Amino acid sequence: PCRSVLTVACEQTEVLLFDPISSKHIKTLSEAHEDCVNNIRFLDNRLFATCSDDTTIALWDLRKLNTKVCTLHGHTSWVKNIEYDTNTRLLVTSGFDGNVIIWDTNRCTEDGCPHKKFFHTRFLMRMRLTPDCSKMLISTSSGYLLILHDLDLNKSLEVGSYPILRARRTTSSSDITSSGSSGPRTVGSPCHQNDSGPLSEKHMSRSSQREGGSPRNSLEVLTPEVPGERDRGNCITSLQLHPKGWATLLRCSSNTDDQEWTCVYEFQEGAPVRPVSPRCSLRLTHCIEEANVGRGYIKELCFSPDGRMISSPHAFGIRLLGFDAHCSELVDCLPKEASPLKEIRSLYSHNDVVLTTKFSPTHCQIASGCLSGRVSLYQPKF
């Protein structure tokens, strides 16, 4: 968070640490995990968590990198996502086992942290908390976006208490496939199963249904509108949130892997379906077709800290995208219909497919990483 360290998650069990200002290599955690490292999340300016295909999460302290603070066991498949609720100091992780697990870092010991399963759904790809931690968004490989409203992480949810979600997920025979069978870094075949339930057939463009349960953790199921041929379905491979909570940013690919898009959706609060809590919907405001190079690999994009720009992996480089040519705020240039994102600048410095990009939270700096392991840092010239 203080931008003093850049951490890099690598395929072959490693975590790399750099000084982002001088570009100097600080340290290599050569055996951070026993399998591919997928994600890194800082809890504060010294403590960070890593997750891996070895099904574990590890906590690290920058002041003592020779050993882990502790290893967390609870997932049964590849762990792909880490979030942190700064209000409750609870760590939230999700994996290809379909589980979202809560870890109480307030009671952390060398043997781990108390934990509990919070939520479960099949085909889970990405999970994010809104900046104020009032909502949890979950994307799936079959094109659904789940929103848990009025979030209460202390209350676990049972799948059986959401019959609408369960019914929609079991109407297709292709749902039998386990999402843990895809390749270590690729989207894989389970992410491209076409869910032929009532949502995808009747409301693929812009449908939403609300399961009006309790006021806390009430569930909404959305099928975001995606450009292209809607009847082929899509896979939501990357999910990010606007830093001010105004919108969500998705990277989507078609089920046949022949098209790929970056899409921005504005959050719109609507009239309540039931008195317990408001209804939310997503409106596609901006989109752009991507190069679709490196098919099957997940490309992680991001918002700038002020939310005015998007950095998106594009073939062997990255594209800086804006809502208009002047990099205006989203709320100042909302179109009546979906409009193309404006390309501000393209940066190409890699010799392989770029898989991830990240803005510095405090400086005018961007980092990108490609499949062959190269990390590039960019700074503007004034």
Side-chain angles (χ1 to χ4, degrees):
C2 67
R3 67 87 188 149
S4 60
V5 175
L6 170 68
T7 53
V8 183
C10 299
E11 177 185 10
Q12 299 296 337
T13 76
E14 292 185 343
V15 171
L16 309 178
L17 291 88
F18 295 92
D19 181 332
I21 302 302
S22 66
S23 302
K24 290 184 178 179
H25 175 241
I26 298 174
K27 190 175 181 64
T28 296
L29 308 178
S30 58
E31 297 181 359
H33 287 273
E34 296 179 0
D35 207 335
C36 304
V37 186
N38 295 318
N39 208 332
I40 302 174
R41 177 79 180 195
F42 273 88
L43 282 59
D44 52 37
N45 285 329
R46 63 175 181 83
L47 193 67
F48 65 94
T50 59
C51 65
S52 169
D53 284 354
D54 67 4
T55 75
T56 70
I57 301 98
L59 294 181
W60 304 84
D61 193 320
L62 285 175
R63 301 170 298 181
K64 189 180 178 182
L65 290 171
N66 292 328
T67 182
K68 302 174 185 178
V69 174
C70 63
T71 301
L72 310 181
H73 299 270
H75 284 281
T76 57
S77 187
W78 305 331
V79 189
K80 295 293 185 180
N81 219 150
I82 309 173
E83 291 287 283
Y84 185 62
D85 185 342
T86 54
N87 301 320
T88 60
R89 294 184 62 194
L90 294 174
L91 194 70
V92 189
T93 61
S94 68
F96 278 1
D97 55 4
N99 292 327
V100 177
I101 295 180
I102 309 296
W103 310 85
D104 187 358
T105 57
N106 302 294
R107 294 187 288 162
C108 187
T109 67
E110 293 182 356
D111 297 326
C113 300
H115 68 279
K116 64 177 181 179
K117 185 189 296 185
F118 176 72
F119 187 76
H120 176 87
T121 183
R122 281 181 286 182
F123 300 106
L124 189 154
M125 285 294 293
R126 289 291 182 264
M127 173 273 304
R128 300 288 180 191
L129 301 181
T130 53
D132 62 359
C133 298
S134 65
K135 293 182 177 68
M136 176 184 290
L137 280 76
I138 297 172
S139 66
T140 73
S141 59
S142 50
Y144 293 140
L145 187 67
L146 315 181
I147 303 179
L148 291 168
H149 296 270
D150 306 310
L151 191 64
D152 183 0
L153 294 177
N154 293 309
K155 178 184 177 182
S156 295
L157 304 175
E158 297 295 333
V159 178
S161 64
Y162 296 98
I164 289 181
L165 174 62
R166 184 171 57 177
R168 283 172 180 159
R169 305 297 296 161
T170 56
T171 53
S172 171
S173 61
S174 63
D175 282 354
I176 297 173
T177 307
S178 168
S179 54
S181 61
S182 58
R185 291 167 294 122
T186 64
V187 175
S189 57
C191 302
H192 294 96
Q193 298 290 337
N194 184 21
D195 191 341
S196 59
L199 262 181
S200 57
E201 286 185 353
K202 299 174 66 175
H203 307 287
M204 180 57 74
S205 61
R206 195 183 295 175
S207 66
S208 67
Q209 292 289 337
R210 181 58 172 274
E211 175 60 47
S214 64
R216 307 303 299 270
N217 297 331
S218 51
L219 176 68
E220 186 171 17
V221 183
L222 302 171
T223 308
E225 177 184 353
V226 176
E229 297 181 26
R230 300 187 180 105
D231 58 345
R232 293 186 301 174
N234 67 88
C235 171
I236 304 174
T237 58
S238 181
L239 166 66
Q240 298 291 340
L241 291 169
H242 190 282
K244 297 179 182 177
W246 294 341
T248 182
L249 176 66
L250 303 182
R251 187 71 168 252
C252 305
S253 62
S254 62
N255 282 348
T256 51
D257 247 352
D258 59 346
Q259 285 183 298
E260 195 172 17
W261 308 273
T262 289
C263 302
V264 178
Y265 300 86
E266 174 200 14
F267 283 112
Q268 293 183 316
E269 300 294 337
V273 176
R274 299 184 185 182
V276 293
S277 57
R279 178 179 60 84
C280 178
S281 64
L282 298 177
R283 184 175 75 91
L284 178 64
T285 62
H286 297 82
C287 60
I288 193 168
E289 188 167 358
E290 296 290 355
N292 201 29
V293 176
R295 294 183 183 181
Y297 289 97
I298 298 171
K299 291 100 176 181
E300 298 286 1
L301 31 67
C302 65
F303 278 110
S304 62
D306 60 5
R308 292 172 179 260
M309 295 182 66
I310 295 166
S311 181
S312 174
H314 188 261
F316 289 7
I318 61 175
R319 288 194 298 186
L320 301 182
L321 306 170
F323 304 116
D324 63 15
H326 306 289
C327 296
S328 301
E329 292 272 18
L330 175 62
V331 293
D332 295 330
C333 54
L334 284 173
K336 293 183 179 179
E337 297 181 353
S339 298
L341 287 164
K342 304 299 183 182
E343 184 174 334
I344 307 300
R345 185 75 182 270
S346 294
L347 305 170
Y348 296 98
S349 64
H350 293 273
N351 58 4
D352 210 335
V353 180
V354 174
L355 300 181
T356 185
T357 178
K358 197 75 174 177
F359 280 92
S360 166
T362 56
H363 282 62
C364 292
Q365 190 176 43
I366 312 169
S368 62
C370 73
L371 188 58
S372 64
R374 178 186 174 89
V375 177
S376 295
L377 292 167
Y378 314 89
Q379 286 181 302
K381 292 182 179 180
F382 296 101

